[in-house]
């Protein structure tokens, strides 16, 4: 039996009375790729992020907000997910999360302690049932918000990451019961949109043949910034794979592109805000008029779906 199967069974057999922590935000995502240098240059020179640190084959990049970095790009032998980092309020919550994870039989990849990485902080790491590396952290260095007037058409924060999964029900069960996330909406039984704060979703799962990164989305301050960002990329000779348009679930604008490594990145804005007291989760039909409310993008092409399928990602890179 694999370690992730052990983790899944352990969580199932141990009653989860409350989540291991209260997640505040989606802090950052790390991507692994054989084209890390070219990818970092794209996210810096074209996409609109700013490098904050570089160490050999790793680059950390920020948006215009106060988060130290929202993207880490690391050299690897294949495209894949490095990790997903969520913020919690205090180091004490990190320690409590470790105790609860251990009680659930979820092995820790890194015990609570100072994080030896760009931005520092205090945190821990563990894996989900499909061997994705998850980090919970507090006290990470902040940076001064850039362009407080919001004139530049560049991302301010990480909006969400969509993950392909071979078992959408198991993925949702883990992220809701263990991490306390809430399901905002379903797209039939093909996609689930999960939140940890008022944003409609910070994680979404897509039922697929293998586990992989589907895409990473970056939030623009407004629809105007969103459209001007698309225009800037067009001037660079880069056209959308799909979009612009507006999704039904989440009501957010979308325009998808491929970075030099073939990983899919998205500009988005106007993400729906959830009132916990009144929001009702609904199941959306998977029809073109709901995948794009504007009707400007049409359905995703086979090329878009191929890019979003990615390559099989078994995780476990930290053990190699």
């Amino acid at each position: 039996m694999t370690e992730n199967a052990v983790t899944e069974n352990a969580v199932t057999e141990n009653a989860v009375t409350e989540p291991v922590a209260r997640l505040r935000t989606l802090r950052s995502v790390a991507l692994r790729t054989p084209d890390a240098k070219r990818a970092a240059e794209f996210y810096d020179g074209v996409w609109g992020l700013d490098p904050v640190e570089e160490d050999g084959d790793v680059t950390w990049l920020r948006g215009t907000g106060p988060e130290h970095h929202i993207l880490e790009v690391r050299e690897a032998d294949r495209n894949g997910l490095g990790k997903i980092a969520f913020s919690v309020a205090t180091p004490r919550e990190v320690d409590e999360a470790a105790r609860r994870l251990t009680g659930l039989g979820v092995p820790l990849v890194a015990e609570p302690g100072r994080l030896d990485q760009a931005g520092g902080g205090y945190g821990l790491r563990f894996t989900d049932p499909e061997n994705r590396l998850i980090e919970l952290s507090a006290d990470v260095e902040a940076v001064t918000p850039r362009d407080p007037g919001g004139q530049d058409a560049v991302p301010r924060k990480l909006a969400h990451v969509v993950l392909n999964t071979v078992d959408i029900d198991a993925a949702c069960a883990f992220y809701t019961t263990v991490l306390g996330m809430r399901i905002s909406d379903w797209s039939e039984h093909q996609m689930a949109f999960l939140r940890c704060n008022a944003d409609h979703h910070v994680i979404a799962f897509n039922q697929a043949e293998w586990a992989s990164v589907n895409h990473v989305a970056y939030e623009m301050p407004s629809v105007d910034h969103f459209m001007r960002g698309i225009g800037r990329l067009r001037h660079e000779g880069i056209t959308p794979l799909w979009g612009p348009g507006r999704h039904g679930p989440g009501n957010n604008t979308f325009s998808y592109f491929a970075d030099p490594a073939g990983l899919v990145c998205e500009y988005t804005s106007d993400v729906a805000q959830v009132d916990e007291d009144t929001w009702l989760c609904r199941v959306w039909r998977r029809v073109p008029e709901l995948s794009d409310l504007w009707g400007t993008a049409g359905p995703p092409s086979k090329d878009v779906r191929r890019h979003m399928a990615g390559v099989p990602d078994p995780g476990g890179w930290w053990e190699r």
Side-chain angles (χ1 to χ4, degrees), residues 195-209:
R195 68 186 185 273
C196 67
N197 50 36
D199 289 344
H200 178 270
H201 59 286
V202 296
I203 292 281
F205 288 102
N206 176 62
Q207 182 68 42
E209 294 183 37

Side-chain angles (χ1 to χ4, degrees), residues 1-10 105-109 126-133 316 318-319:
M1 182 179 291
T2 63
E3 181 176 290
N4 24 323
V6 171
T7 300
E8 185 176 354
N9 290 343
V106 178
L108 298 182
V109 174
F126 59 97
T127 59
D128 74 4
E130 289 180 295
N131 216 24
R132 301 181 188 91
L133 188 63
W318 54 90
E319 299 170 340

Side-chain angles (χ1 to χ4, degrees), residues 16-29:
V16 181
T17 57
E18 58 181 318
V20 302
R22 180 186 174 189
L23 307 185
R24 301 295 177 127
T25 62
L26 173 62
R27 191 188 291 283
S28 65
V29 65

Side-chain angles (χ1 to χ4, degrees), residues 26 48 60 63 71 92 98-99 127 174 183 218 258 272 284 291 320:
L26 173 62
W60 293 268
L71 176 65
R92 185 173 182 177
R99 185 187 69 78
T127 59
F174 184 89
I183 299 177
Y218 302 81
W284 294 74
S291 65
R320 297 170 197 160

